[in-house]
């Protein structure tokens, strides 16, 4: 079954603009996580253009951990590389980027990572059971003994999914984003497949430039909806012990927010 994913990430600068506000929400969580666990070697899966990884590398203090990033989209990794090249050499030496599929990867530090994390809904790109099991198996193999794996994804909203199931053609104005050169309106339609547990999302992007020009384009994205017990079973089936589950980026328990952030550990 073909799934829509790549085109959504092809316009890297637009993607980064759309999600710049996300950094205010989740970056404090990831910084504190690194401070709590004090890892030597970190791997970020679906690292994208480096929104999270670069922020962690620039944390103040005596942080000396290495940061590996894995992503399947070459344009995202190229943007990440350009940003790394603008950093001081001491930080550059701590970064290793890899183009690859998180369902089947083999990195030089296999078995050495103290912390592996999969942030901001990226697990929703694992559509099939085989992909999910493959990703967790690779994570287990790359973790050091006692190493930690953290997954952050949205908590399913039943009312929201009901609307996407029963009124799939409804168009919503999802966001209005302003940059120095243009204003972008984003309209969305969502259809939910309850059998495959998939959201089929279509965005219409309308950009209005300061010089009077305009541009319109569509992007599509499919996202698997993980229910809490389903996600927890993936951790346990991979041999990972679940240490904690949080419902928000301010460390509230599951059910007290819109997220499910699962922290597992290799025994």
């Amino acid at each position: 079954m073909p799934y829509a994913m790549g085109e959504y990430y092809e316009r890297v600068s637009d993607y980064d603009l759309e999600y710049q506000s996300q950094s205010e929400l989740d970056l404090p969580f990831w910084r504190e996580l690194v401070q709590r666990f004090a890892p030597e070697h970190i791997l970020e899966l679906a690292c994208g253009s480096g929104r999270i990884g670069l922020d962690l590398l620039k944390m103040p203090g005596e942080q000396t951990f290495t940061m590996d990033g894995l992503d399947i989209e070459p344009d995202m990794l190229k943007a990440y590389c350009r940003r790394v090249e603008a950093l001081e050499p001491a930080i550059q030496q701590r970064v290793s980027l890899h183009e690859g599929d998180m369902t089947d990867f083999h990195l030089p530090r296999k078995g050495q990572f103290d912390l592996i994390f999969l942030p901001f809904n990226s697990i929703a790109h694992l559509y099939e059971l085989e992909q999910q099991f493959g990703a967790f198996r690779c994570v287990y193999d790359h973790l050091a003994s006692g190493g930690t794996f953290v997954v952050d994804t949205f908590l399913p909203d039943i009312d929201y999914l009901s609307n996407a199931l029963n009124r799939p053609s409804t168009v919503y104005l999802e966001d209005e984003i302003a940059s120095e050169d243009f204003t972008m309106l984003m309209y969305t339609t969502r259809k939910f497949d309850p059998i495959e547990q998939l959201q089929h999302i279509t965005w219409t992007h309308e950009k209005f430039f300061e010089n009077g020009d305009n541009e319109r384009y569509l992007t599509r994205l499919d996202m698997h909806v993980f229910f809490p017990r389903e996600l927890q079973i993936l951790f346990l089936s991979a041999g990972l012990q679940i240490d904690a589950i949080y419902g928000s980026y301010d460390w509230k328990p599951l059910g007290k927010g819109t997220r499910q952030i699962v922290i597992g550990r290799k025994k």
Side-chain angles (χ1 to χ4, degrees):
M1 177 186 297
Y3 297 102
M5 183 182 72
E7 64 180 7
Y8 182 70
Y9 299 104
E10 289 172 356
R11 296 176 180 251
V12 178
S13 60
D14 282 358
Y15 175 87
D16 289 342
L17 180 64
E18 290 166 23
Y19 291 104
Q20 61 182 356
S21 60
Q22 176 65 20
S23 294
E24 300 175 9
L25 300 175
D26 65 358
L27 287 184
F29 172 85
W30 296 113
R31 293 180 199 131
E32 183 171 344
L33 186 85
V34 168
Q35 291 173 342
R36 288 188 183 189
F37 287 94
E40 294 183 16
H41 303 296
I42 300 176
L43 168 61
E44 180 184 3
L45 300 177
C47 63
S49 58
R51 180 180 69 85
I52 298 175
L54 289 172
D55 181 84
L56 297 180
L57 285 163
K58 293 184 286 186
M59 287 173 58
E62 301 299 322
Q63 306 289 343
T64 58
F65 56 80
T66 65
M67 173 67 72
D68 284 59
L70 178 80
D71 204 284
I72 201 171
E73 292 296 332
D75 289 340
M76 284 285 184
L77 288 174
K78 289 176 184 177
Y80 199 154
C81 284
R82 289 193 296 270
R83 290 164 180 167
V84 170
E85 290 168 358
L87 300 176
E88 58 185 83
I91 295 181
Q92 292 182 29
Q93 294 170 7
R94 294 162 52 201
V95 185
S96 299
L97 300 179
H98 314 271
E99 182 179 341
D101 188 335
M102 63 178 161
T103 69
D104 185 15
F105 62 93
H106 306 275
L107 302 184
R109 287 197 175 94
K110 187 174 182 179
Q112 299 178 36
F113 290 103
D114 311 287
L115 173 63
I116 300 178
F117 68 100
L118 180 55
F120 192 43
N121 308 329
S122 294
I123 193 174
H125 298 320
L126 301 178
Y127 305 113
E128 302 283 4
L129 286 171
E130 291 79 5
Q131 294 177 309
Q132 296 162 14
F133 287 131
F136 274 76
R137 183 168 54 249
C138 285
V139 165
Y140 183 90
D141 290 342
H142 282 73
L143 280 173
S145 179
T148 299
F149 181 39
V150 184
V151 173
D152 163 38
T153 191
F154 57 88
L155 183 67
D157 183 326
I158 300 302
D159 290 336
Y160 179 88
L161 295 177
S162 176
N163 286 333
L165 175 64
N166 297 308
R167 289 182 286 278
S169 60
T170 302
V171 179
Y172 302 94
L173 175 60
E174 182 168 304
D175 207 351
E176 179 176 343
I177 304 168
S179 75
E180 294 181 358
D181 302 318
F182 59 83
T183 297
M184 181 164 62
L185 303 180
M186 294 177 59
Y187 300 89
T188 182
T189 60
R190 299 174 187 252
K191 181 179 180 180
F192 179 57
D193 180 340
I195 304 302
E196 297 294 333
Q197 292 179 216
L198 279 179
Q199 289 189 78
H200 302 286
I201 309 168
T202 301
W203 279 282
T204 302
H205 308 253
E206 290 191 328
K207 299 169 75 171
F208 300 91
F209 293 87
E210 293 294 329
N211 62 8
D213 292 341
N214 60 73
E215 178 186 8
R216 184 181 186 187
Y217 64 92
L218 298 178
T219 55
R220 297 177 179 83
L221 184 69
D222 291 336
M223 300 185 75
H224 182 85
V225 177
F226 283 92
F227 289 89
R229 290 301 178 107
E230 173 189 10
L231 184 54
Q232 294 164 37
I233 287 172
L234 281 173
F235 274 81
L236 297 176
S237 67
L240 298 170
Q241 174 179 306
I242 297 175
D243 287 344
I245 308 176
Y246 298 102
S248 67
Y249 294 123
D250 54 3
W251 306 86
K252 292 179 181 176
L254 181 66
K256 298 296 184 180
T258 61
R259 312 299 299 172
Q260 46 180 332
I261 305 171
V262 184
I263 298 181
R265 179 166 47 90
K266 184 174 180 178
K267 300 178 184 178

